[in-house]
C-alpha cells in the first residue's frame, strides 16, 4: 500500500536543512506533502504564507513526488483528512528533542493512527534554523551556504541588504 507523509512547519523561510530532509524523505515515501502552516501562533513570520509557499515550491521543484501545500488548523487533522499516515519532523540536537517529543505525544493523543517519524539532516545542517538564518541575514551576514539562491535574494530584498 502506498504510504504518503506530511512534513509540517513554518518554513520562514525554507533552508537547505529543510530541503535535505525533504530529499531524504522523498526516497522513503511514495509521496511527501510539505505542509506550510498559515496559523503561526505567537510567531509573526517574516514572509507571508504565499511567499513561503512560493519559495518552497521553487526550491523543491525538481523532486517529482513532493508537493507543497498550505494548511490551517491542527496538523493531525490535515494529515487524517488527506490520507497522510506519517508526520515527519527534523531533529538537529538534543535541544529539539523535548519539544518534539511533547508535540508527537500530543498528536498521538489527538489522532492515534498517524505516526510521527524523526529524521536527522546531513551534519552540515545540524545547527541550522530559519530563525538563525533570518537573524544573520538581518545583520548583513552571508547566508548563501544555507539557503537556495531564490531564498537568499528574497531575504536580501525583504531586509534591505541587497
Ligand atoms: P516549526 O515552526 O513547526 O518548528 P520549522 O519550519 O522551523 O517549523 O521546522 C519544521 C521542521 O523542520 C521541524 O521539525 C524542525 O525541527 C525541522 N528542521 C528545521 N531546520 C532543520 C534542519 N536544519 N535540519 C533538520 N530539521 C530541521
Amino acid at each position: 500500500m502506498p504510504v504518503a507523509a506530511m512534513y509540517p512547519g513554518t518554513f520562514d523561510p525554507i533552508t537547505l536543512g529543510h530541503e535535505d530532509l525533504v530529499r531524504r524523505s522523498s526516497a522513503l515515501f511514495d509521496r511527501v506533502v510539505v505542509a506550510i502552516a498559515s496559523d503561526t501562533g505567537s510567531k509573526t513570520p517574516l514572509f507571508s504564507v504565499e511567499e513561503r509557499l512560493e519559495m518552497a515550491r521553487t526550491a523543491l521543484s525538481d523532486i517529482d513526488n513532493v508537493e507543497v501545500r498550505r494548511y490551517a488548523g491542527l496538523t493531525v487533522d490535515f494529515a487524517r483528512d488527506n490520507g497522510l499516515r506519517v508526520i515527519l519532523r527534523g531533529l538537529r540536537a538534543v535541544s529539539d528533542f523535548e519539544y518534539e517529543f511533547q508535540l508527537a505525544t500530543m498528536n498521538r493523543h489527538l489522532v492515534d493512527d498517524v505516526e510521527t517519524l524523526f529524521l536527522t539532516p546531513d551534519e552540515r545542517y545540524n545547527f541550522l534554523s530559519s530563525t538563525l538564518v533570518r537573524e544573520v541575514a538581518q545583520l548583513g551576514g552571508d547566508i548563501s551556504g544555507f539557503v537556495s539562491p531564490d531564498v537568499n535574494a528574497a531575504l536580501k530584498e525583504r531586509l534591505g541588504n541587497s
Side-chain angles (χ1 to χ4, degrees):
M1 194 171 121
V3 181
M6 167 181 188
Y7 180 30
T10 314
F11 302 98
D12 184 38
I14 188 164
T15 68
L16 296 189
H18 294 125
E19 282 185 40
D20 183 77
L21 241 66
V22 175
R23 285 175 205 284
R24 287 172 194 284
S25 58
S26 71
L28 294 174
F29 297 99
D30 297 284
R31 195 161 65 92
V32 176
V33 177
V34 175
I36 304 192
S38 55
D39 289 338
T40 49
S42 54
K43 297 191 232 177
T44 305
L46 179 64
F47 294 103
S48 70
V49 68
E50 288 80 14
E51 291 169 327
R52 287 179 276 137
L53 274 163
E54 196 187 316
M55 284 187 279
R57 283 192 178 129
T58 304
L60 303 170
S61 60
D62 62 311
I63 320 175
D64 286 344
N65 61 340
V66 170
E67 183 187 333
V68 181
R69 291 176 58 186
R70 66 187 280 168
Y71 78 106
L74 286 173
T75 301
V76 282
D77 285 345
F78 182 90
R80 193 181 44 194
D81 295 347
N82 291 281
L84 307 170
R85 292 170 55 207
V86 171
I87 293 176
L88 296 167
R89 296 286 290 176
L91 280 184
R92 287 159 290 193
V94 181
S95 51
D96 277 341
F97 179 79
E98 190 159 353
Y99 173 67
E100 292 293 340
F101 183 69
Q102 284 181 352
L103 203 60
T105 309
M106 176 57 80
N107 282 338
R108 176 168 282 162
H109 277 283
L110 296 170
V111 175
D112 189 45
D113 58 359
V114 171
E115 298 296 342
T116 300
L117 291 186
F118 297 103
L119 289 177
T120 55
D122 185 287
E123 62 189 19
R124 282 176 296 169
Y125 307 127
N126 256 330
F127 62 95
L128 191 60
S129 68
S130 298
T131 305
L132 197 55
V133 160
R134 288 194 309 271
E135 283 172 3
V136 173
Q138 179 99 58
L139 298 172
D142 178 15
I143 41 116
S144 59
F146 308 121
V147 294
S148 67
D150 284 309
V151 172
N152 195 8
L155 275 163
K156 282 186 175 160
E157 195 189 312
R158 181 57 42 95
L159 299 169
N161 288 323
S162 47

